[in-house]
Amino acid sequence: MRLERRASVPPILYVAAPLAAVMVALAISGALIALAGASVPEAYRRMAIGAFGSRLAITETLTRATPLILTGLAAAVAFRARLWNIGAEGQFYIAALATAALGGAASAGGLLPGPLLIPFLMICGAAVGAMLLLAPLALRLRFGVDEVVVTLLLNFVVLLFVSMMIDGPLRDRMAFGWPQSVRVSPEAALPKLWQGTRLHVGLLVAVAMSVVVWIIQSRTAFGLEAKAAGFNPRAAAFAGVPIPKVLVGVACLSGGLAGLAGAIEVMGVKGYVTTDLSPGFGYAGIVVAMLAALNPIGVVAASLFVAATFVGVDGMSRALKVPSFIADVTVALSLLCVLVALTLVTYRIRR
Amino acid sequence: MVHQHFALAPNLTVIENVVAGTEPLWGWRSRRSAARKKLAELSSRFGLAVDPDRLVSELSVGERQRVEILKPLYRDAKILILDEPTAVLTPAESESLFAALKTMAAEGLSLIFISHKLHEVMRSADRVAVLRGGRKIAERRTSETSVDELAELMVGRRVSRPTRTAQEPGAPMLAGRDLGFAKGGRTLVEAASFELRAGEVLGIIGVSGNGQSSLVEMVCGCEAPASGEIAYFGETQATASPRGLVASGVGRVPEDRHAQGAVGELTLWENAVLERLKEPRFRRLGFVRRAEARGFATDVITRFDVRGGGPETPTRLLSGGNMQKMILGRNLASDPRILIAAQPTRGLDEGAVAGVHAEILKARASGMGVLLVSEDLDEVLGLADRVQAMVKGRLSPPVPVEQLDARRLGRMMAGVWDEAA
């Protein structure tokens, strides 16, 4: 038995294969749910209710999907150019911290009016996130240091830094000793999309960004160069693509998107930074990007799926006493199945 | 099996390379003296002289080839398969390889010699099987066939390589003066000088790995020379960028189509315009002008008869010959004045070779200066006006092709050119 590259792939397969893979993954985790002693149809029914069954459920899922879309895009644009940015988590946190510091009621008071303050803080967050990725890239371009290791390890450095700051200079004195940062000023809070829920306009920003990224990748000269540099750096260099410059651009975009996720999460949901602001949005972004086969529009769908799984399982596990780890298992299984499915899209099995 | 690309460990000696894998892994002692005796006996029997105690990294390419052949012989192989064994040999080294092959055949071994060089097949083989499109389509005895017949069988139709007509060269187009290049502490090109004129094909011949790749990288604007200078159209350029060169009328065909010439995953049109993305005709406000780019690709496809796909086809699906036509076409479609062609026919079938040769001669006739870097004697003798040999990073003085034949060219490739000049 061996794998053989397909000569041509019907475009429909690119959509059908991931969907089929997710079905397979749900079937496998169904077996695990049964093993945990719950009824499988009931569990999935509860999951669907938990994720989409009410106004609250739907808005929770969408709120959860918002940062995932952005970190997913961050991973997708970087991986497309073979820049292995594993540091979206760190970029998320450092941007969140910067947003809280700059948008804190004390420093932002009267600095900028609300309608300007929000975009300003978003741009600042993106810039900080981008800078955190430019440092590992500079090391790679200059000394050939592997960016996987550096970006990954920076995540922990940043988290410790955040934890130091919110226990020190940026600590909220009104928080009864809880380690949390100063609050952003109320003018910097993102408007709600739906009153009485947590859903905020960050979702629109995230979806808009996915369209912007799609346009950049498929229509601009920069996108074409980044694609060429990712697939075959030697040929790209021969054709005169300035690879270091392109990678700097990709790093700004990728780090910027992860930073934007952090800024939006602070302004949209909590209003302040704690060290559990992100339940691993940065890492989940990698999963989302892979689930979406690095397609920026697919990232939106993949984020919804991942968010719905986590939110849905929360409700289901409370009701049926199935450990909520089943959400992680389902998402991980989906990733494995999608990777297999995408291999089978490009290759066929011959015996 | 002797592969085209050597599978030797350069940090081991010849004898260690030969016996590796034949000794029991957990034995108490290796039986080196017996191995040494057997190797010496094989060497003298087949005329494959090589010092068993030298490191492989110190050996010349021809000697490494011998070690590769000794490996299966040491394992008492009865059938030996040689895949393009002469690709990296000078003509003289090839001759001694053929002599060794004859001895082996006389000793009762069976040899399969895979090659696309027809003269070599005629020289060394008794019988020839012709493969085309994965099928064996003919079998001949070499005594009863000819080079022309084999060529025809390979392609499936009559092919004749185009021939050159006399032509006066014009103004200098491309010149290199005392070029030097080093990478990783190794000198790859040293004091190389050449001058290419309009309406002329300058052939650079050499056994692969003698610095031609670095020379091409420099004139293509991919690497800056460590010393010396390059002049395009009579003007010295301190920093030549690939795109600047392409825009100023330099066509470049890299030596490795798949690794350098095209990005396989991108479509034909994307590859066609990748090196011209800076030009306003394919770019507006940072966006790719897709209609223009597709039009350009369609133009290349029709004018240069690229088969196997349209502008939207992923380039990796093209055959080698068609990919090469696309690469040549994207350069020639905008009428450059210099064409740099590195190994333009490597790995192509006879029909595609004739097509590429015709394009190169057409370019020459239109007054283009063509720098042809090749390992193929016939190609250089058939296309070039003047020839320089490249050996160990140095270029010989140019010799008009009229004064050359395969024998003399072979001597130049081996580094003997003082009397030839």
Side-chain angles (χ1 to χ4, degrees), chain A residues 84-339:
Chain A
W84 305 113
N85 175 15
I86 317 294
E89 186 81 0
Q91 291 140 24
F92 177 97
Y93 267 113
I94 199 84
L97 191 70
T99 307
L102 289 170
S107 53
L111 192 70
L112 279 170
L116 285 180
L117 185 60
I118 288 172
F120 169 76
L121 289 176
M122 284 184 181
I123 290 167
C124 286
V128 172
M131 274 191 280
L132 191 66
L133 182 52
L134 284 176
L137 177 65
L139 287 176
R140 164 173 157 186
L141 292 176
R142 193 115 193 110
F143 305 111
V145 181
D146 186 7
E147 76 272 23
V148 173
V149 178
V150 181
T151 52
L152 176 64
L153 293 181
L154 268 179
N155 290 341
F156 305 104
V157 175
V158 167
L159 199 59
L160 289 171
F161 177 72
V162 167
S163 148
M164 178 184 89
M165 293 306 275
I166 63 180
D167 223 358
L170 290 177
R171 179 184 193 144
D172 186 357
R173 310 242 168 254
M174 323 293 267
F176 306 107
W178 290 105
Q180 66 183 50
S181 77
V182 289
R183 293 187 154 270
V184 293
S185 84
E187 288 129 71
L190 294 181
K192 297 281 179 244
L193 277 181
W194 203 334
Q195 284 314 318
T197 70
R198 301 206 301 163
L199 190 60
H200 51 85
V201 293
L203 176 68
L204 302 183
V205 176
V207 173
M209 285 317 291
S210 80
V211 176
V212 168
V213 167
W214 178 76
I215 289 173
I216 289 177
Q217 286 194 334
S218 65
R219 291 292 186 271
T220 66
F222 168 73
L224 181 50
E225 290 183 336
K227 212 161 41 156
F231 282 126
N232 185 346
R234 254 188 98 196
F238 187 85
V241 174
I243 291 185
K245 242 175 164 174
V246 168
L247 286 180
V248 167
V250 169
C252 287
L253 195 55
S254 171
L257 285 162
L260 186 61
I264 284 180
E265 193 68 2
V266 166
M267 291 191 285
V269 182
K270 269 194 164 169
Y272 55 87
V273 180
T274 56
T275 47
D276 60 357
L277 178 68
S278 152
F281 286 134
Y283 302 109
I286 297 169
V287 177
V288 165
M290 301 307 284
L291 278 175
L294 306 188
N295 179 314
I297 304 299
V299 161
V300 177
S303 305
L304 280 176
F305 167 71
V306 172
T309 309
F310 276 97
V311 174
V313 163
D314 265 354
M316 184 271 283
S317 70
R318 266 197 300 275
L320 297 182
K321 304 273 182 287
V322 175
S324 64
F325 293 118
I326 197 71
D328 294 290
V329 175
T330 308
V331 169
L333 281 171
S334 310
L335 178 60
L336 292 177
C337 291
V338 165
L339 290 179

Side-chain angles (χ1 to χ4, degrees), chain B residues 106-291:
Chain B
E107 293 265 342
L109 291 178
S110 307
L111 299 165
I112 300 174
F113 179 88
I114 303 167
S115 176
H116 67 277
K117 293 183 181 164
L118 300 175
H119 292 290
E120 290 182 355
V121 174
M122 293 295 286
R123 286 264 303 104
S124 59
D126 298 309
R127 274 186 306 136
V128 191
V130 180
L131 298 178
R132 172 168 19 114
R135 269 205 196 99
K136 187 171 109 175
I137 50 154
E139 195 170 327
R140 296 281 187 278
R141 303 201 73 82
T142 43
S143 51
E144 292 158 11
T145 185
S146 65
V147 168
D148 289 338
E149 190 198 9
L150 289 180
E152 197 179 324
L153 288 168
M154 269 167 73
V155 190
R157 62 192 148 85
R158 267 203 101 66
V159 279
S160 47
R161 293 192 175 187
T163 47
R164 212 166 51 93
T165 51
Q167 182 176 321
E168 269 305 303
M173 297 301 261
L174 174 66
R177 293 182 204 107
D178 286 325
L179 290 174
F181 185 74
K183 200 168 205 174
R186 274 181 60 207
T187 305
L188 296 170
V189 179
E190 207 179 344
S193 295
F194 63 90
E195 188 184 64
L196 170 69
R197 294 171 161 281
E200 174 191 60
V201 176
L202 175 63
I204 306 276
I205 191 153
V207 177
S208 95
N210 271 291
Q212 301 97 315
S213 308
S214 308
L215 184 73
V216 169
E217 298 257 293
M218 284 190 282
V219 287
C220 285
C222 296
E223 296 275 10
S227 60
E229 54 184 24
I230 307 174
Y232 301 89
F233 314 113
E235 282 168 39
T236 314
Q237 281 183 344
T239 51
S241 71
R243 283 175 178 174
L245 289 179
V246 170
S248 70
V250 180
R252 309 167 311 143
V253 177
E255 63 175 11
D256 191 330
R257 289 184 277 289
H258 299 278
Q260 284 186 291
V263 182
E265 286 82 357
L266 297 188
T267 63
L268 260 176
W269 75 261
E270 287 172 322
N271 270 304
V273 300
L274 192 58
E275 57 184 12
R276 298 180 182 280
L277 272 182
K278 270 248 153 64
E279 296 174 24
R281 60 175 165 153
F282 296 127
R283 178 196 197 114
R284 184 168 43 206
L285 302 172
F287 284 83
V288 181
R289 302 177 70 164
R290 290 151 61 90

Side-chain angles (χ1 to χ4, degrees), chain B residues 322-381:
Chain B
N322 281 306
M323 200 186 272
Q324 193 70 330
K325 279 195 247 174
M326 188 277 288
I327 295 170
L328 255 179
R330 76 175 177 207
N331 283 298
L332 295 175
S334 331
D335 299 316
R337 288 181 291 156
I338 300 174
L339 180 69
I340 300 159
Q343 322 291 356
T345 58
R346 185 190 270 173
L348 299 188
D349 68 59
E350 198 65 21
V353 169
V356 170
H357 284 184
E359 286 300 339
I360 288 178
L361 287 178
K362 216 166 92 190
R364 170 180 176 268
S366 73
M368 227 179 272
V370 181
L371 184 68
L372 172 71
V373 180
S374 176
E375 293 161 9
D376 188 332
L377 293 177
D378 296 334
E379 179 165 278
V380 170
L381 288 174

